[in-house]
Amino acid sequence: MKRIAAGLALAGVLAFNPVIGHAALGDQTLEPGMYHEDVKELQEILDQKGYFGYSETTTYYGEYTTDAVKKFQADKGITVNGIAGEETFEALGIESGESNIVEVAKKYEGTPYQWGGETPDEGFDCSGYLNYIFDEAENKDLPRTVKEIYSEGTKVDSLSVGDIVFFDVEGHGPSHAGLYIGDNQFIHSSSTNGVITSEIGSSYWKDKYIGSKSF
């Protein structure tokens, strides 16, 4: 993981937020209406097995994906509901490799905020925190600043645990980020409270929320 001296931290990096990152296929149930990178991977596997007939793969779980899953389920003699859950993934030969990023993220709850901070000992800013937990839990090297992380992630319209949520707190684009941990909550390094869990829909954060991305 990159370690940049605090003095080199770029201006605009605000409170740091942890992200669960993009979970592996099989770690979450996929169902009609979802937008997620896992959907594209599912389509690719179904295509290889001769079930997905659309001209290209996408991140949208629509009619073509649903029909492909149903056909596969029927052929395998399992519940035919068009939803890719544990039973379907098992039939596809996909094993869950569940991420522990939420567990890792919560381990550092209470760590003080430090602008430019990248370790538990010195404290975290928001992007430093995300870098640290992604490196420990997923062995992933994120960009150093919130804006850079935002520019490289894959946009998702339906939040999943491990996605990174972004906020515009200054009115100039993404300036704060955190890790989505489910139940409308995210964990992040706040400039006032350090690493803390907050509600996306709270009076402070809901109007500043600008979207989420997966890695």
Side-chain angles (χ1 to χ4, degrees):
M1 170 178 139
K2 298 174 184 173
R3 293 285 184 249
I4 301 176
L8 295 179
L10 300 180
V13 179
L14 296 181
F16 196 87
N17 302 297
V19 178
I20 283 185
H22 174 59
L25 181 64
D27 287 352
Q28 64 174 321
T29 297
L30 303 177
E31 54 189 53
M34 288 183 65
Y35 284 89
H36 202 281
E37 195 66 25
D38 283 358
V39 174
K40 186 173 184 178
E41 190 173 348
L42 172 64
Q43 292 169 352
E44 291 171 349
I45 293 173
L46 289 169
D47 184 45
Q48 292 170 5
K49 294 181 179 294
Y51 291 94
F52 186 73
Y54 194 60
S55 58
E56 61 180 357
T57 56
T58 70
T59 58
Y60 176 58
Y61 201 120
E63 181 180 350
Y64 286 98
T65 308
T66 303
D67 288 345
V69 170
K70 285 183 176 179
K71 290 176 183 176
F72 174 78
Q73 290 170 333
D75 285 351
K76 294 298 181 180
I78 59 178
T79 304
V80 179
N81 55 13
I83 297 173
E86 183 178 352
E87 187 180 29
T88 300
F89 288 131
E90 184 176 344
L92 285 167
I94 297 168
E95 296 182 359
S96 173
E98 188 172 353
S99 169
N100 69 335
I101 192 165
V102 174
E103 179 182 347
V104 169
K106 289 184 175 182
K107 184 167 67 174
Y108 300 108
E109 197 156 16
T111 301
Y113 175 84
Q114 174 62 50
W115 188 83
E118 301 176 315
T119 69
D121 291 338
E122 65 181 333
F124 292 115
D125 64 20
C126 74
S127 53
Y129 173 57
L130 287 172
N131 268 268
Y132 194 89
I133 62 171
F134 263 92
D135 179 62
E136 179 176 337
E138 308 251 338
N139 196 29
K140 291 181 181 178
D141 191 13
L142 297 180
R144 180 57 181 91
T145 71
V146 171
K147 288 185 178 179
E148 290 171 335
I149 295 172
Y150 185 79
S151 68
E152 292 193 14
T154 300
K155 183 180 179 181
V156 294
D157 294 322
S158 179
L159 273 172
S160 297
V161 172
D163 289 338
I164 298 178
V165 290
F166 295 87
F167 303 88
D168 179 357
V169 299
E170 297 180 322
H172 304 296
S175 53
H176 189 73
L179 181 69
Y180 183 65
I181 60 175
D183 297 325
N184 202 36
Q185 296 183 325
F186 69 106
I187 188 168
H188 59 122
S189 182
S190 161
S191 59
T192 55
N193 297 302
V195 178
I196 189 174
T197 297
S198 301
E199 293 277 346
I200 295 177
S202 70
S203 58
Y204 180 79
W205 292 110
K206 66 179 180 180
D207 294 331
K208 297 175 176 62
Y209 175 68
I210 58 173
S212 63
K213 296 200 173 184
S214 65
F215 285 81

mmCIF file of all heavy atoms in Angstrom, residues 63-84:
data_model
loop_
_atom_site.group_PDB
_atom_site.id
_atom_site.type_symbol
_atom_site.label_atom_id
_atom_site.label_comp_id
_atom_site.label_asym_id
_atom_site.label_seq_id
_atom_site.Cartn_x
_atom_site.Cartn_y
_atom_site.Cartn_z
ATOM 1 N N GLU A 63 -34.152 -8.211 -17.737
ATOM 2 C CA GLU A 63 -34.935 -9.346 -18.210
ATOM 3 C C GLU A 63 -34.066 -10.464 -18.767
ATOM 4 O O GLU A 63 -34.319 -11.649 -18.504
ATOM 5 C CB GLU A 63 -35.899 -8.858 -19.293
ATOM 6 C CG GLU A 63 -36.793 -9.939 -19.866
ATOM 7 C CD GLU A 63 -37.728 -9.399 -20.933
ATOM 8 O OE1 GLU A 63 -37.809 -8.168 -21.082
ATOM 9 O OE2 GLU A 63 -38.362 -10.228 -21.629
ATOM 10 N N TYR A 64 -33.020 -10.111 -19.533
ATOM 11 C CA TYR A 64 -32.172 -11.144 -20.128
ATOM 12 C C TYR A 64 -31.439 -11.953 -19.057
ATOM 13 O O TYR A 64 -31.321 -13.177 -19.165
ATOM 14 C CB TYR A 64 -31.156 -10.503 -21.086
ATOM 15 C CG TYR A 64 -31.759 -10.034 -22.381
ATOM 16 C CD1 TYR A 64 -32.106 -8.704 -22.555
ATOM 17 C CD2 TYR A 64 -31.991 -10.923 -23.434
ATOM 18 C CE1 TYR A 64 -32.678 -8.259 -23.750
ATOM 19 C CE2 TYR A 64 -32.555 -10.490 -24.632
ATOM 20 C CZ TYR A 64 -32.903 -9.160 -24.783
ATOM 21 O OH TYR A 64 -33.463 -8.722 -25.960
ATOM 22 N N THR A 65 -30.946 -11.259 -18.029
ATOM 23 C CA THR A 65 -30.242 -11.944 -16.946
ATOM 24 C C THR A 65 -31.202 -12.826 -16.162
ATOM 25 O O THR A 65 -30.880 -13.979 -15.832
ATOM 26 C CB THR A 65 -29.579 -10.937 -16.001
ATOM 27 O OG1 THR A 65 -28.786 -10.031 -16.761
ATOM 28 C CG2 THR A 65 -28.704 -11.637 -14.973
ATOM 29 N N THR A 66 -32.381 -12.290 -15.880
ATOM 30 C CA THR A 66 -33.380 -13.050 -15.126
ATOM 31 C C THR A 66 -33.767 -14.328 -15.866
ATOM 32 O O THR A 66 -33.836 -15.419 -15.276
ATOM 33 C CB THR A 66 -34.640 -12.197 -14.885
ATOM 34 O OG1 THR A 66 -34.273 -10.987 -14.209
ATOM 35 C CG2 THR A 66 -35.659 -12.955 -14.045
ATOM 36 N N ASP A 67 -34.016 -14.204 -17.174
ATOM 37 C CA ASP A 67 -34.392 -15.377 -17.966
ATOM 38 C C ASP A 67 -33.265 -16.410 -18.019
ATOM 39 O O ASP A 67 -33.504 -17.624 -17.942
ATOM 40 C CB ASP A 67 -34.758 -14.951 -19.392
ATOM 41 C CG ASP A 67 -36.090 -14.216 -19.466
ATOM 42 O OD1 ASP A 67 -36.843 -14.283 -18.479
ATOM 43 O OD2 ASP A 67 -36.357 -13.573 -20.500
ATOM 44 N N ALA A 68 -32.018 -15.904 -18.142
ATOM 45 C CA ALA A 68 -30.869 -16.813 -18.191
ATOM 46 C C ALA A 68 -30.729 -17.580 -16.885
ATOM 47 O O ALA A 68 -30.468 -18.795 -16.881
ATOM 48 C CB ALA A 68 -29.594 -16.019 -18.476
ATOM 49 N N VAL A 69 -30.905 -16.881 -15.768
ATOM 50 C CA VAL A 69 -30.808 -17.527 -14.454
ATOM 51 C C VAL A 69 -31.918 -18.561 -14.291
ATOM 52 O O VAL A 69 -31.679 -19.675 -13.795
ATOM 53 C CB VAL A 69 -30.856 -16.474 -13.321
ATOM 54 C CG1 VAL A 69 -31.000 -17.155 -11.962
ATOM 55 C CG2 VAL A 69 -29.610 -15.601 -13.343
ATOM 56 N N LYS A 70 -33.121 -18.221 -14.719
ATOM 57 C CA LYS A 70 -34.246 -19.163 -14.599
ATOM 58 C C LYS A 70 -33.997 -20.433 -15.413
ATOM 59 O O LYS A 70 -34.274 -21.548 -14.951
ATOM 60 C CB LYS A 70 -35.543 -18.492 -15.048
ATOM 61 C CG LYS A 70 -36.118 -17.505 -14.050
ATOM 62 C CD LYS A 70 -37.442 -16.935 -14.552
ATOM 63 C CE LYS A 70 -38.082 -16.023 -13.518
ATOM 64 N NZ LYS A 70 -39.366 -15.454 -14.014
ATOM 65 N N LYS A 71 -33.486 -20.280 -16.617
ATOM 66 C CA LYS A 71 -33.199 -21.444 -17.459
ATOM 67 C C LYS A 71 -32.131 -22.326 -16.812
ATOM 68 O O LYS A 71 -32.239 -23.556 -16.820
ATOM 69 C CB LYS A 71 -32.739 -20.979 -18.838
ATOM 70 C CG LYS A 71 -33.837 -20.341 -19.675
ATOM 71 C CD LYS A 71 -33.274 -19.813 -20.991
ATOM 72 C CE LYS A 71 -34.358 -19.103 -21.805
ATOM 73 N NZ LYS A 71 -33.810 -18.501 -23.054
ATOM 74 N N PHE A 72 -31.110 -21.678 -16.262
ATOM 75 C CA PHE A 72 -30.053 -22.431 -15.597
ATOM 76 C C PHE A 72 -30.605 -23.165 -14.378
ATOM 77 O O PHE A 72 -30.315 -24.351 -14.164
ATOM 78 C CB PHE A 72 -28.927 -21.489 -15.175
ATOM 79 C CG PHE A 72 -27.849 -22.146 -14.364
ATOM 80 C CD1 PHE A 72 -26.883 -22.936 -14.976
ATOM 81 C CD2 PHE A 72 -27.818 -21.999 -12.985
ATOM 82 C CE1 PHE A 72 -25.900 -23.576 -14.230
ATOM 83 C CE2 PHE A 72 -26.842 -22.631 -12.223
ATOM 84 C CZ PHE A 72 -25.879 -23.422 -12.852
ATOM 85 N N GLN A 73 -31.426 -22.473 -13.579
ATOM 86 C CA GLN A 73 -31.999 -23.078 -12.382
ATOM 87 C C GLN A 73 -32.876 -24.276 -12.742
ATOM 88 O O GLN A 73 -32.839 -25.315 -12.076
ATOM 89 C CB GLN A 73 -32.814 -22.028 -11.619
ATOM 90 C CG GLN A 73 -31.956 -20.953 -10.971
ATOM 91 C CD GLN A 73 -32.777 -19.786 -10.431
ATOM 92 O OE1 GLN A 73 -33.870 -19.498 -10.937
ATOM 93 N NE2 GLN A 73 -32.249 -19.109 -9.419
ATOM 94 N N ALA A 74 -33.665 -24.134 -13.803
ATOM 95 C CA ALA A 74 -34.540 -25.228 -14.222
ATOM 96 C C ALA A 74 -33.727 -26.445 -14.653
ATOM 97 O O ALA A 74 -34.067 -27.588 -14.301
ATOM 98 C CB ALA A 74 -35.442 -24.764 -15.363
ATOM 99 N N ASP A 75 -32.662 -26.193 -15.395
ATOM 100 C CA ASP A 75 -31.815 -27.302 -15.855
ATOM 101 C C ASP A 75 -31.118 -28.008 -14.702
ATOM 102 O O ASP A 75 -30.839 -29.211 -14.775
ATOM 103 C CB ASP A 75 -30.773 -26.789 -16.848
ATOM 104 C CG ASP A 75 -31.354 -26.491 -18.218
ATOM 105 O OD1 ASP A 75 -32.529 -26.837 -18.454
ATOM 106 O OD2 ASP A 75 -30.645 -25.892 -19.054
ATOM 107 N N LYS A 76 -30.827 -27.259 -13.643
ATOM 108 C CA LYS A 76 -30.121 -27.837 -12.498
ATOM 109 C C LYS A 76 -31.071 -28.402 -11.443
ATOM 110 O O LYS A 76 -30.619 -28.966 -10.442
ATOM 111 C CB LYS A 76 -29.212 -26.781 -11.859
ATOM 112 C CG LYS A 76 -28.061 -26.342 -12.760
ATOM 113 C CD LYS A 76 -27.146 -27.502 -13.086
ATOM 114 C CE LYS A 76 -25.989 -27.090 -13.965
ATOM 115 N NZ LYS A 76 -25.093 -28.219 -14.294
ATOM 116 N N GLY A 77 -32.378 -28.236 -11.641
ATOM 117 C CA GLY A 77 -33.345 -28.778 -10.705
ATOM 118 C C GLY A 77 -33.388 -28.057 -9.372
ATOM 119 O O GLY A 77 -33.725 -28.657 -8.335
ATOM 120 N N ILE A 78 -33.044 -26.779 -9.372
ATOM 121 C CA ILE A 78 -33.100 -25.988 -8.143
ATOM 122 C C ILE A 78 -34.243 -24.975 -8.254
ATOM 123 O O ILE A 78 -34.885 -24.864 -9.296
ATOM 124 C CB ILE A 78 -31.762 -25.268 -7.869
ATOM 125 C CG1 ILE A 78 -31.402 -24.333 -9.034
ATOM 126 C CG2 ILE A 78 -30.649 -26.283 -7.661
ATOM 127 C CD1 ILE A 78 -30.103 -23.554 -8.814
ATOM 128 N N THR A 79 -34.508 -24.241 -7.188
ATOM 129 C CA THR A 79 -35.605 -23.279 -7.163
ATOM 130 C C THR A 79 -35.506 -22.301 -8.330
ATOM 131 O O THR A 79 -34.479 -21.640 -8.511
ATOM 132 C CB THR A 79 -35.596 -22.490 -5.843
ATOM 133 O OG1 THR A 79 -35.661 -23.408 -4.749
ATOM 134 C CG2 THR A 79 -36.780 -21.538 -5.778
ATOM 135 N N VAL A 80 -36.576 -22.218 -9.105
ATOM 136 C CA VAL A 80 -36.588 -21.325 -10.271
ATOM 137 C C VAL A 80 -37.264 -20.014 -9.886
ATOM 138 O O VAL A 80 -38.494 -19.911 -9.834
ATOM 139 C CB VAL A 80 -37.333 -21.968 -11.457
ATOM 140 C CG1 VAL A 80 -37.349 -21.010 -12.651
ATOM 141 C CG2 VAL A 80 -36.694 -23.288 -11.842
ATOM 142 N N ASN A 81 -36.452 -19.006 -9.591
ATOM 143 C CA ASN A 81 -36.998 -17.702 -9.197
ATOM 144 C C ASN A 81 -36.286 -16.524 -9.881
ATOM 145 O O ASN A 81 -36.649 -15.367 -9.667
ATOM 146 C CB ASN A 81 -36.927 -17.522 -7.677
ATOM 147 C CG ASN A 81 -35.518 -17.705 -7.129
ATOM 148 O OD1 ASN A 81 -34.545 -17.724 -7.887
ATOM 149 N ND2 ASN A 81 -35.404 -17.866 -5.814
ATOM 150 N N GLY A 82 -35.271 -16.822 -10.690
ATOM 151 C CA GLY A 82 -34.574 -15.748 -11.392
ATOM 152 C C GLY A 82 -33.631 -14.949 -10.529
ATOM 153 O O GLY A 82 -33.045 -13.957 -10.984
ATOM 154 N N ILE A 83 -33.450 -15.371 -9.280
ATOM 155 C CA ILE A 83 -32.566 -14.677 -8.336
ATOM 156 C C ILE A 83 -31.293 -15.495 -8.141
ATOM 157 O O ILE A 83 -31.358 -16.704 -7.911
ATOM 158 C CB ILE A 83 -33.270 -14.468 -6.978
ATOM 159 C CG1 ILE A 83 -34.497 -13.562 -7.161
ATOM 160 C CG2 ILE A 83 -32.310 -13.878 -5.948
ATOM 161 C CD1 ILE A 83 -35.347 -13.430 -5.910
ATOM 162 N N ALA A 84 -30.162 -14.841 -8.249
ATOM 163 C CA ALA A 84 -28.879 -15.531 -8.069
ATOM 164 C C ALA A 84 -28.461 -15.463 -6.602
ATOM 165 O O ALA A 84 -27.845 -14.489 -6.152
ATOM 166 C CB ALA A 84 -27.810 -14.898 -8.958
#
